Amino acid sequence: MKKENQSILRHNGVNYLLPFILITACFALWGFANDITNPMVKAFSKIFRMSVTDGALVQVAFYGGYFAMAFPAAMFIRRYSYKAGILMGLGLYAAGAFLFLPAKLTGSYYPFLAAYFILTCGLSFLETSANPYILSMGSPETATRRLNLAQAFNPMGSLVGMWVAMNFIQARLHPLDTAGRAQLSEAEFETMKQADLSVLITPYLVIGLVIAAMFLVIRFARMPKDHDGEGNRDSFVTTIRRIFSLRRYRWGVIAQFAYVGAQIMCWTFIIQYGTRVFMADGMAEKAAEVLSQRYNIIAMVIFCSSRFVCTYLLKYINPGRLLFLLAVAASAFTAGVILLRDIWGLYCLVAVSGCMSLMFPTIYGIALDGMGDDAKFGAAGLIMAILGGSVLPPLQAMVIDCGTIGGWPAVNLSFVLPLVCFFVVMYYGHSTARERR
């Protein structure tokens, strides 16, 4: 295995091992940012005594940064280089993390949203740069294996983010629940809020320092030059028209939008879902939240494990066909999340992660297949589709805030939205499998 990994990182006598390690570390770093953020919806709702809908603005700001910066990042990379795009991404990532300190000093919610937006503008640069950069580090014949190897480190960063959120934020916030905070005087509430915000910002300041150090390492490291810089130089509008004229790509962007929305909804609101289940059994809100976050970590472990299994299955199953089968399974489990009101519904929600593991890279690969020089802007469009993680969670939060609908827990019924998203992915997998046949 070691010899095989070395072979995919060497081409024409050049060893890409060190550049590969440095860029692959970036995959873990943006995985960390994604999954330390999901539990923050609940944390901000409690700290600022807000509704779940207001707390979900964290996801709007977070994934809105991806949407806003994807095509500007692609244009920046085409003008300069992949390395420049990586450095710009790390710089914005660090700046957003450090802005948590002045946001805390204001004591207001909205400066935190601005910090998240800047941070994720950096993540948009990183994702738009790192994926094709990894593909370029070696022989074209082994490019897909190289990217799969690098992507395996993304959920590992996610696991660390979840662990930090659970042990260094959620476990250290004041245990008084949302209802209890509403009874505090303004002075008591302000004291508690400042203490909780100090807990919340510490991991972000630490990761800001880590990102700054990574920026310096990559800045002074010897990195490979781009090999595709002599591709076509058509205008932005011409290129966009061309790639969106392709049905497979156009529907790929739609499917990616739906998938990312479903993923973020399932991972963000697993805490609300689990909290309802455990509180129904008499558990206190604080303990229910911590236990729910543990289930969130279990879901990510299953996600990581399933990625390796599904990558192996791709050797034998058409990618569109496997995408279709995973979407069918995800839909079945999501139906269980909606219909079951006890711990079995939570088990179904955890199981959905096993079905989602290969959806993003599979949609990505199918949509860009055969695009040639247009793949750089095509990749930006698929990163832009991460907007689904910004648009759909607030809609689900609005349903959750209803409490009950027709006597049924609103948090259960809110998972109709991810179910619809999985239907879209199912259609895309089925249609592309038929194309390839």
Side-chain angles (χ1 to χ4, degrees):
M1 182 66 179
K2 181 178 179 182
K3 184 177 180 180
E4 181 183 357
N5 287 340
Q6 286 179 342
S7 68
I8 68 175
L9 299 174
R10 184 181 293 275
H11 184 55
N12 293 335
V14 179
N15 190 337
Y16 294 97
L17 180 60
L18 179 60
F20 178 84
I21 291 173
L22 292 177
I23 302 304
T24 296
C26 295
F27 283 73
L29 290 173
W30 78 63
F32 177 91
N34 276 272
D35 286 279
I36 194 177
T37 300
N38 291 334
M40 295 304 101
V41 171
K42 182 70 174 179
F44 277 113
S45 297
K46 177 186 288 188
I47 292 171
F48 287 100
R49 297 192 297 197
M50 300 183 301
S51 66
V52 177
T53 302
D54 289 334
L57 289 176
V58 168
Q59 301 291 36
V60 175
F62 193 89
Y63 291 96
Y66 274 105
F67 176 82
M69 203 52 63
F71 278 119
M75 296 171 70
F76 179 89
I77 295 161
R78 185 166 73 168
R79 180 175 178 84
Y80 297 102
S81 67
Y82 287 131
K83 179 177 178 178
I86 293 289
L87 292 175
M88 176 64 78
L90 291 171
L92 290 171
Y93 187 166
F98 289 136
L99 282 174
F100 272 66
L101 179 57
K104 184 259 181 183
L105 295 177
T106 68
S108 177
Y109 177 49
Y110 294 101
F112 284 99
L113 300 183
Y116 273 120
F117 182 81
I118 292 170
L119 187 153
T120 48
C121 284
L123 300 188
S124 186
F125 263 90
L126 282 178
E127 293 210 38
T128 305
S129 306
N131 285 292
Y133 202 13
I134 288 291
L135 292 174
S136 73
M137 291 183 183
S139 168
E141 289 76 16
T142 57
T144 301
R145 288 158 58 198
R146 229 174 5 258
L147 184 57
N148 282 333
L149 180 59
Q151 285 178 337
F153 289 85
N154 176 259
M156 294 181 185
S158 297
L159 278 171
V160 175
M162 288 182 175
W163 182 79
V164 169
M166 183 177 72
N167 291 283
F168 293 93
I169 297 180
Q170 289 176 296
R172 300 187 181 189
L173 295 178
H174 195 283
L176 190 63
D177 61 22
T178 306
R181 290 171 187 246
Q183 307 302 317
L184 298 175
S185 68
E186 281 304 313
E188 291 172 330
F189 170 67
E190 189 63 29
T191 300
M192 185 178 296
K193 182 179 75 173
Q194 288 299 320
D196 282 346
L197 288 177
S198 295
V199 169
L200 186 145
I201 70 168
T202 300
Y204 285 94
L205 298 180
V206 172
I207 194 62
L209 293 173
V210 172
I211 298 302
M214 179 63 73
F215 178 96
L216 294 174
V217 170
I218 293 179
R219 168 64 181 82
F220 294 107
R222 190 181 181 91
M223 304 293 286
K225 294 182 179 180
D226 300 359
H227 296 299
D228 59 349
E230 301 303 319
N232 73 69
R233 293 290 174 174
D234 289 343
S235 70
F236 174 77
V237 174
T238 300
T239 305
I240 295 304
R241 283 178 178 170
R242 184 166 56 244
I243 64 176
F244 276 96
S245 69
L246 302 173
R247 183 181 182 278
R248 186 179 68 249
Y249 176 76
R250 190 169 60 247
W251 271 98
V253 172
I254 294 170
Q256 201 72 288
F257 177 94
Y259 163 68
V260 175
Q263 181 197 76
I264 301 308
M265 286 187 285
C266 289
W267 287 350
T268 297
F269 297 111
I270 190 173
I271 295 177
Q272 276 80 2
Y273 191 96
T275 298
R276 184 202 65 77
V277 169
F278 296 128
M279 289 182 67
D281 291 336
M283 189 178 293
E285 183 180 19
K286 172 79 173 180
E289 288 175 8
V290 173
L291 184 55
S292 298
Q293 179 62 2
R294 290 176 182 166
Y295 276 87
N296 204 4
I297 291 177
I298 292 171
M300 182 54 69
V301 172
I302 293 173
F303 182 87
C304 292
S305 303
S306 178
R307 171 161 287 179
F308 289 103
V309 173
C310 291
T311 301
Y312 175 78
L313 291 176
L314 279 175
K315 293 172 62 178
Y316 307 102
I317 304 176
N318 173 284
R321 179 69 174 169
L322 183 57
L323 182 65
F324 170 76
L325 294 174
L326 290 170
V328 169
S331 300
F333 283 125
T334 306
V337 174
I338 297 167
L339 298 174
L340 302 173
R341 302 173 61 167
D342 54 14
I343 191 67
W344 288 101
L346 184 57
Y347 290 159
C348 285
L349 185 50
V350 170
V352 169
S353 289
C355 306
M356 295 192 297
S357 62
L358 210 70
M359 287 185 181
F360 185 93
T362 303
I363 295 170
Y364 193 99
I366 292 173
L368 295 185
D369 187 26
M371 290 188 68
D373 291 330
D374 287 339
K376 186 174 290 184
F377 273 93
L382 290 165
I383 296 300
M384 197 172 178
I386 290 175
L387 179 70
S390 174
V391 172
L392 297 177
L395 297 180
Q396 187 177 15
M398 291 171 65
V399 177
I400 293 173
D401 279 335
C402 293
T404 58
I405 300 175
W408 204 263
V411 68
N412 288 58
L413 293 178
S414 72
F415 281 88
V416 168
L417 283 172
L419 180 61
V420 172
C421 292
F422 288 129
F423 286 159
V424 174
V425 176
M426 191 189 308
Y427 168 78
Y428 186 64
H430 179 66
S431 63
T432 56
R434 288 180 61 189
E435 268 183 33
R436 292 183 177 225
R437 282 204 301 271

